[in-house]
Structure formats: C-alpha cells, structure tokens
Amino acid sequence: MLNAHNITVSFAGEDLFSGITFKLNAGNSIGLVGKNGAGKSTLLKVIANEQEYRAGTIAIEKDISIGYLKQDIDFEEGRTVLDETYEAFKEIKSIELKLEKVNSELATRTDYESEYYHDLMHDLDELSHRYELIGGYNYQGNTEKILQGLGFQQQDFNMLTGTFSGGWRMRIELAKLLLQEHDILLLDEPTNHLDIESIIWFENFLKGFNGAIVMVSHDKMFLDNVTNRTIEISLGKIYDFKKPYSQYLLLRNEIKEKQIQAQKNQEKEIKHTEQLINKFRAKANKASMAQSLIKKLDKVERIEVDVEDNSVMNVRFPVSIVPGKIIFEAENLAKNYGENQVLENVDLLIERNSRIAFVGQNGQGKSTLAKMMVNEIDYDGNLKLGHNVEIGYFAQNQSEYLNGNITVLQTMEDAASDGNRIRVRDMLGGFLFRGDDVEKKVKVLSGGERNRLALCKMLLSPFNVLIMDEPTNHLDIASKNVLKRALKQFEGTLILVSHDRDFLQGLTEKVYEFKDSVIKEYLGDINYFLEQHNLDNMREVEKRTKIKIDNKENNGGKKNFQNAKQKKQYQNKLSKIEAEISKLEKEVVNDDAEILDNFDKVSADKHFFRNYQAKKDRVEELMASWEEVQEKVDQL
C-alpha cells in the first residue's frame, strides 16, 4: 500500500530523523512510539503529505485513500454535530441536492413526451443508482451509530459544535474519519479525549478494520489490544518490530542484551588479535603474519549496541504550608448545564492528606467538580475551602492556556516571581528543555512537550492540594512513569481524574465513582474499587453499562438506519408514481377531446376505447398506490 524509503526530515538545519525506511501493508496495525519530540507526529504528517521532507521517497499505490486524525482541529461555526459529521459525505450530499432539484422539476413539468422530460427521468435513475451505490440510504444510520459509539447521545446531535469542548469536537472529527472508509488511517493520540466505554468501542472498530493503521499513542493497554506491529523513533532512527507494544519491549531488551554480549565477545577477540599483532611486529620472521592480522582486523565489522534515549524529566511537587484538617466540605452541591443535571445533592468531606481518584464515564461530572473546587465555574449549594488550603490545579486542557507566540523560556519567566525567576532555567532543564530548546516558540512544541511545559509552569507557585485532570494526556510512557513517581512522593492532598488504570494503581487510597448525577465513595484503592464490582480491569466498569445501553438502544439505532433507507426509497417511488399519473391524465384528457371531435373515427378503431379505459383504470391503481406509499412515508 505504501513504501517509505530513506526519509529525512530537518528543522533549522538539524535532522529530526534520517534514513527512515518502512513498508505499510493491508492488515498492518502499527503503534508509533517514542519520546515526546522524537518526531512521531511529524512522521504522520509526512505520510499524510502535510509535511515536507528533505530527502527520500514515498510511493503509494494508486487509488489508496489516507485519513489523518490530527491533534489540532478547526470547525466551521454554526454547524450542528450531525451537520459537521455529514461533511464526511461530500458526494452523497451533492447527489441529494441534485435529486431534490430533479424531483422538484419533475413534479411541476407536464411536457411528458419531450426529450427534456425523458432526460430528467434518465438523470433521476442515474442519480438514484449512484446514490444507492455509495451508501446514500445508509449514511445517516451509520453516522448515528458511530457518534453513539464515541459517546454522543441522541439529544446531542442537533447541538452546535461550538457548545462542545475540544475533546468532544475531536470525537466529531474522529467520527468523520471513520465514516469515510479510508484504506489507511493515521491517528495521532486518538484516545486522549475518550472515556473507557468509547475506548472499548473504538478498539473493536479498529480490530475489524481491513486497511492499514499507523497510530501515535501512549496508552499501553490500547496499543496491546489493537496493534500487531510497533515502530519506535529514537534519536533519529527507527526500530521496527512485528509485535504489539508489551511484546516489543521484551523483544527490544532481548535484542539489546544479545548485542551487548556479542559486542563483549567481539572486543575480547579484537583485544587478543591486537596483542598478537604487537607481539609479531617485534620479530622480523613474523612481520608478514602481523600484516595479515592487521588486514583481517580492518575488515571486522564492529558490533554496535542500539543507542537508547534514557533522558527523563525530573518532577518534584514541593508542599507549601500545612493546611487545616478539612480541605473541602460540600453540602447539597449541584451543577447543571441547561437541562443536563450533571451533579445533584452532593455531600462531600475531604480531609488533609487524602489521596482520591475520580472515575466514571465522560459527562458524569468529574471535571466539573474539579473546576468547582478551584472556583472556575459557578454552582449551586455550598462548597467550603479549608484553612490555609493552597491549590495546584492541572486542567485537562492545561497546555491550551499557554501562549503559542512566545518562547518556552519567556513562558516561565512571565509566570515566575522574583524569588524563583533565577531557577527557571534549572527547572526547564529538569523537564528536558535544555540548551537552545528554551528558545523555541511554544506553538512548535509537540503535545507532550506542551504538557511538560504546563507541568513545569505549575510548579512555580507553592501548593498543598494538587488536583489533576487527565494529566497523562500527550505524555510519553517514560514521562508518565516519572510523573507517577513524583505523585507518590507528594506529601499533600491529591485528587486525580483519570481513565488510566495503570497510572492510578498505587497512587490513591480512595475512589469516588461518578454516575447518574451522584458520587459514591469506595474506601480503598483502584484495585479495591474493581474488586467490589467483581471486575478484572477498569474497562469492564463501563462495559457493563454499555451492554445495558446497547440492549435498549441498538434496536433503536437499527430502526433509525432502516427507516432512513426506506423513507428515501418511498420518496423516489412517489416521484415516479406522480410522474406516471400526470402523463396518463394528460393522455386521458386528449382522448376525451378526440371522442368529442371525432366520435365516428374513434368508434371505428376497436382498440381505442379499450386503451382509453385501461388508462383510466391505471390512473386509479396509481392513485391507490400513491396513497399507500404516502401513508408509509408519514409513518416513518
């Protein structure tokens, strides 16, 4: 399907990666991994022909369609969720407009015998056939099914896209991509804004995809469940393994251990040969042997061990002053967005040094409560902040608050105080922004680099309560592990909103489950919470809910799908019936005139009155059929 050969990409005269070669075949599901800034998103852009490369070639088979899900999207204002998603069907929507125009013209014209009228009927048949061929009767049902799989409710479909957060708009873009049925899917962090239920649905969708997939993801479980091949970008080179992520790690370590052992053995042989050369050089009768050994040594291909980028950021969350015993106290807390009641009658007491995980489906109020705690949004009820509480807050879209037009260094200096401005460069170095990296504009940073910068900036102000909403979005796996270690060492009160079970394990001692506008407390860690539900992993928490929903809604979705198809078919049938009725009625009127003017002539024709009556009978039949079809359209 695609062949990339010796691809080199450079920025500011330096190679990001060079000499990259790989093939992409149908059935390949590739996890593209590596550290933040290694070039993963850039490589996707190169494949999608949205990024120039300095050297190399990319050959793509004829008629291969590539779909690319970017990290950053931009929608046209004023469209509903359905309208925006229907943008995936350019040809279908175009044919719908043409069909509407043709049907409208057929309904008003009476020149049934004219060449123009016959051309219209021919156009109607051609357009209807093409419409059916490209899925015109199915696209509405498929759209609703995909949107519901990605977490949208029926009542969301007619809401404007501008009323949704960036994460939900990303889901709309993902829905459009999946509906277009591309041969190759390029996915950049597709699970960042999905809850567990949607991730499960997306996994199943990708497992049934027949084309090729290249995805950037830092979700280990997702990679293991979906991919069958792993490509790592490290220090400008790639390492290609026909294994999912966890198996790739094991294989990568095995290969490196073998390389190290082979290198040691080779070094021993080289050292022994060099000793012989030095020994023989001193003797005239052994000089030819020494020269022979030197030539042999020159031909030896030295074994190299794959170089790994082991640099990791250095995170430490220092605690400010000691707060009072009570951190948050809530009574009759409630929040609604219009008619959507997210939280209702919530009573809550969070004490000093608590370590809490917020879990549950998207839209159940986890991020909403976090924003209420930091007084970012209005709410009903009472929420009291404890004595000496100083909050550090990392929002789900924290990196979006950074100014893209200033440098990394300026971002930190602008936020620093007189007391810590002198430490800014050291802090940036701890977050892997070293040397000239600090002079980069924020807008050129990768998603993971922006998240690292947002974390670093947050540490400029002291706090004793840390609230983090999906902090691992865009962070590479190594950075996630470093962040987890830092949070384990944090001595203040910790509240984490996350869908990442691997990340949550060992970090919290209490779980709040958000469901149906209320919060349920579990006095144990994430594993205890899962055990209480008799589950093996966190994904099953919402799979059970999904089964219940599917039982109720799948029939409805299937029915909507069938209704849309039938309605279009009936409407086309009505147009044809109406056209035939108009034609026959005109012929009957002409026959009536002929009878009045030339009765003797028509009486002599033994077939005239039989045909005349047949036309009238046919009109009656068509009228009955029209009423029957119209009734079915009305019912649908």
Side-chain angles (χ1 to χ4, degrees):
M1 298 179 79
L2 182 146
N3 188 0
H5 183 68
N6 283 335
I7 301 298
T8 297
V9 173
S10 302
F11 290 107
E14 291 188 10
D15 289 347
L16 180 63
F17 47 74
S18 62
I20 286 182
T21 297
F22 63 90
K23 289 184 178 180
L24 190 59
N25 299 314
N28 287 161
S29 184
I30 297 174
L32 190 58
V33 301
K35 300 182 71 64
N36 293 136
K40 304 184 296 297
S41 296
T42 299
L43 183 55
L44 290 187
K45 290 177 184 177
V46 167
I47 299 172
N49 199 30
E50 294 198 3
Q51 169 73 51
E52 294 182 356
Y53 45 97
R54 186 170 62 80
T57 57
I58 293 182
I60 304 174
E61 290 180 12
K62 188 178 179 182
D63 298 327
I64 290 295
S65 171
I66 298 178
Y68 175 37
L69 179 71
K70 309 174 186 178
Q71 288 188 16
D72 302 314
I73 56 172
D74 187 25
F75 283 166
E76 183 177 312
E77 294 295 326
R79 286 179 182 158
T80 66
V81 172
L82 272 182
D83 290 338
E84 183 62 45
T85 312
Y86 287 159
E87 288 297 301
F89 305 101
K90 298 287 188 183
E91 186 179 1
I92 286 177
K93 300 303 289 183
S94 174
I95 291 178
E96 279 186 344
L97 292 175
K98 292 177 183 177
L99 280 170
E100 185 178 346
K101 183 179 178 182
V102 170
N103 281 321
S104 175
E105 198 165 354
L106 284 172
T108 57
R109 299 186 71 92
T110 56
D111 53 338
Y112 308 114
E113 298 299 328
S114 69
E115 184 177 348
Y116 185 78
Y117 190 87
H118 283 290
D119 287 343
L120 283 176
M121 292 298 294
H122 179 265
D123 289 344
L124 180 64
D125 287 338
E126 288 290 319
L127 289 169
S128 298
H129 177 69
R130 179 62 182 168
Y131 187 76
E132 183 175 9
L133 190 66
I134 63 176
Y137 298 118
N138 306 337
Y139 82 95
Q140 292 177 329
N142 285 342
T143 297
E144 293 190 13
K145 184 169 66 175
I146 293 286
L147 286 172
Q148 287 175 337
L150 290 172
F152 288 93
Q153 302 296 321
Q154 195 83 30
Q155 60 265 27
D156 298 329
F157 293 167
N158 293 315
M159 293 177 63
L160 295 176
T161 58
T163 63
F164 290 87
S165 67
W168 284 96
R169 289 199 295 272
M170 180 65 75
R171 295 187 190 209
I172 298 172
E173 192 67 17
L174 178 56
K176 288 162 60 178
L177 188 73
L178 300 183
L179 286 162
Q180 287 169 334
E181 299 182 350
H182 295 287
D183 302 295
I184 299 174
L185 291 179
L186 308 177
L187 307 172
D188 198 352
E189 299 281 12
T191 64
N192 267 359
H193 301 288
L194 300 182
D195 57 31
I196 298 167
E197 179 183 340
S198 299
I199 290 174
I200 293 169
W201 176 89
F202 190 36
E203 281 180 0
N204 291 329
F205 183 96
L206 293 180
K207 286 176 184 176
F209 181 67
N210 294 321
I213 303 167
V214 183
M215 73 175 78
V216 175
S217 180
H218 300 127
D219 185 329
K220 291 187 287 186
M221 190 178 294
F222 184 73
L223 287 171
D224 282 339
N225 288 340
V226 174
T227 64
N228 53 29
R229 183 176 164 192
T230 301
I231 293 180
E232 179 192 13
I233 303 180
S234 179
L235 299 175
K237 296 182 179 181
I238 68 167
Y239 301 89
D240 193 345
F241 298 88
K242 291 181 173 60
K243 300 285 184 183
Y245 183 75
S246 292
Q247 294 181 38
Y248 138 78
L249 286 179
L250 295 174
L251 188 59
R252 183 94 158 82
N253 289 334
E254 289 176 8
I255 291 173
K256 185 176 180 181
E257 287 174 4
K258 290 179 180 178
Q259 287 177 335
I260 292 172
Q261 189 58 48
Q263 187 184 61
K264 287 180 179 178
N265 292 337
Q266 186 184 63
E267 287 173 351
K268 287 181 181 178
E269 292 180 10
I270 290 172
K271 187 177 181 180
H272 178 67
T273 304
E274 288 174 342
Q275 288 173 344
L276 289 176
I277 291 171
N278 292 331
K279 182 179 179 181
F280 293 156
R281 268 178 177 163
K283 299 179 180 179
N285 62 342
K286 301 287 186 179
S288 60
M289 292 181 64
Q291 290 300 318
S292 178
L293 288 172
I294 290 172
K295 289 179 181 179
K296 180 182 177 182
L297 197 58
D298 289 339
K299 293 179 181 179
V300 172
E301 187 173 335
R302 305 297 172 107
I303 295 172
E304 294 184 0
V305 177
D306 292 339
V307 180
E308 291 188 35
D309 185 357
N310 293 315
S311 58
V312 293
M313 64 179 183
N314 179 25
V315 186
R316 181 175 177 81
F317 296 104
V319 178
S320 59
I321 59 176
V322 177
K325 183 178 180 182
I326 304 300
I327 301 297
F328 291 107
E329 187 174 5
E331 186 177 359
N332 292 326
L333 208 58
K335 177 64 181 177
N336 65 286
Y337 296 98
E339 297 180 358
N340 182 21
Q341 191 72 41
V342 179
L343 295 171
E344 188 174 13
N345 297 327
V346 172
D347 294 329
L348 202 63
L349 184 68
I350 297 179
E351 297 183 342
R352 183 178 60 224
N353 295 334
S354 296
R355 303 179 72 83
I356 300 170
F358 286 0
V359 302
Q361 293 175 314
N362 282 352
Q364 294 294 326
K366 304 183 302 298
S367 297
T368 294
L369 181 56
K371 291 175 182 177
M372 290 157 66
M373 287 176 165
V374 297
N375 203 30
E376 191 173 292
I377 57 174
D378 296 329
Y379 53 87
D380 297 320
N382 299 310
L383 179 59
K384 183 181 178 182
L385 202 63
H387 179 63
N388 281 340
V389 169
E390 296 178 344
I391 301 174
Y393 175 54
F394 189 89
Q396 187 172 149
N397 59 339
Q398 188 72 38
S399 62
E400 295 178 13
Y401 294 108
L402 300 174
N403 185 347
N405 294 317
I406 63 177
T407 66
V408 170
L409 180 60
Q410 190 177 345
T411 298
M412 290 290 289
E413 287 180 339
D414 289 350
S417 64
D418 293 338
N420 58 21
R421 187 169 285 110
I422 195 172
R423 295 178 48 240
V424 161
R425 283 185 178 272
D426 290 338
M427 291 177 68
L428 285 171
F431 281 78
L432 304 183
F433 295 105
R434 296 163 183 162
D436 294 338
D437 290 341
V438 301
E439 300 300 334
K440 287 182 179 179
K441 290 284 183 70
V442 171
K443 62 185 177 183
V444 306
L445 301 179
S446 69
E449 288 172 324
R450 288 198 297 269
N451 250 29
R452 290 210 312 263
L453 179 58
L455 277 170
C456 188
K457 181 182 175 184
M458 188 180 73
L459 300 187
L460 287 169
S461 302
F463 50 81
N464 48 38
V465 175
L466 180 55
I467 302 174
M468 306 193 85
D469 191 354
E470 299 290 358
T472 60
N473 280 357
H474 300 296
L475 288 183
D476 59 53
I477 294 169
S479 296
K480 283 168 66 173
N481 293 335
V482 171
L483 176 60
K484 184 173 181 176
R485 286 197 296 271
L487 291 174
K488 281 184 177 180
Q489 295 168 359
F490 178 61
E491 296 177 355
T493 303
L494 177 64
I495 298 173
L496 283 175
V497 182
S498 180
H499 294 297
D500 191 332
R501 179 199 176 190
D502 290 332
F503 183 72
L504 286 176
Q505 283 180 335
L507 279 181
T508 62
E509 299 166 348
K510 190 182 295 184
V511 174
Y512 287 163
E513 181 188 21
F514 288 66
K515 190 174 182 181
D516 300 330
S517 303
V518 298
I519 301 174
K520 185 176 180 180
E521 183 181 67
Y522 291 82
L523 299 175
D525 63 5
I526 192 68
N527 291 325
Y528 172 79
F529 167 72
L530 299 175
E531 289 168 5
Q532 292 301 299
H533 287 70
N534 296 317
L535 305 170
D536 292 327
N537 60 59
M538 192 171 179
R539 296 179 175 219
E540 297 295 332
V541 173
E542 293 174 8
K543 185 180 286 186
R544 181 176 296 172
T545 305
K546 184 176 185 295
I547 291 170
K548 292 178 182 177
I549 293 172
D550 284 347
N551 289 338
K552 293 179 181 179
E553 295 183 356
N554 275 355
N555 290 334
K558 186 176 181 181
K559 187 176 181 181
N560 289 337
F561 168 82
Q562 293 171 340
N563 285 354
K565 180 178 179 180
Q566 287 180 347
K567 190 172 183 178
K568 281 289 183 184
Q569 290 172 334
Y570 286 144
Q571 286 172 337
N572 288 336
K573 191 173 182 179
L574 281 176
S575 297
K576 291 181 179 179
I577 291 173
E578 290 167 356
E580 190 176 353
I581 289 173
S582 297
K583 180 183 177 184
L584 288 171
E585 284 180 337
K586 184 177 181 182
E587 290 179 5
V588 169
V589 169
N590 291 336
D591 288 348
D592 286 338
E594 189 71 15
I595 291 171
L596 290 174
D597 296 339
N598 300 294
F599 183 77
D600 292 339
K601 181 181 177 182
V602 297
S603 296
D605 184 353
K606 60 181 180 181
H607 298 296
F608 180 85
F609 283 103
R610 186 190 309 165
N611 292 338
Y612 174 69
Q613 188 59 45
K615 291 175 186 176
K616 294 176 72 174
D617 291 344
R618 178 60 179 160
V619 169
E620 292 296 323
E621 290 175 8
L622 288 170
M623 290 297 293
S625 296
W626 186 92
E627 290 178 2
E628 183 180 341
V629 175
Q630 184 61 52
E631 185 178 350
K632 290 179 179 178
V633 171
D634 293 339
Q635 290 173 352
L636 290 172

